[in-house]
Amino acid sequence: MAYLYGKKFVGPITDLILQLRDELYNQPYEEVDWNKARHLCLKVTDCSYKFFHVIFINSLDHQFLDGLAFAACMSL
């Protein structure tokens, strides 16, 4: 499972996947802003503290490392 996550494996988009996306998301899946949605969850299930500096560093880290990984893959 970790190997697939590390490789950012994406399976085929079937009719079942499309139906699940329609049922689970309250807006069209293609319009979800995943950078904003990363920090959203129910108050009941949120067990972490949301300090501004932690959110800021995590956002920079996410954007920087994805760009760095992409550049490394392109140089191979």
Side-chain angles (χ1 to χ4, degrees):
M1 194 70 145
Y3 174 79
L4 294 176
Y5 180 77
K7 292 291 185 179
K8 297 188 180 194
F9 176 79
V10 178
I13 306 298
T14 62
D15 289 336
L16 177 61
I17 299 294
L18 295 174
Q19 290 173 359
L20 286 171
R21 286 179 178 177
D22 286 341
E23 185 175 335
L24 294 174
Y25 297 101
N26 57 1
Q27 66 184 22
Y29 182 81
E30 296 78 22
E31 295 178 10
V32 175
D33 184 2
W34 293 108
N35 287 327
K36 288 183 181 178
R38 183 181 302 119
H39 304 295
L40 300 176
C41 64
L42 292 174
K43 296 282 186 195
V44 175
T45 60
D46 187 12
C47 298
S48 64
Y49 297 102
K50 299 257 189 285
F51 295 112
F52 173 76
H53 64 281
V54 174
I55 293 172
F56 180 72
I57 291 171
N58 285 341
S59 296
L60 286 178
D61 183 44
H62 172 73
Q63 292 173 0
F64 176 73
L65 288 180
D66 278 354
L68 188 62
F70 178 73
C73 289
M74 295 306 287
S75 67
L76 292 178

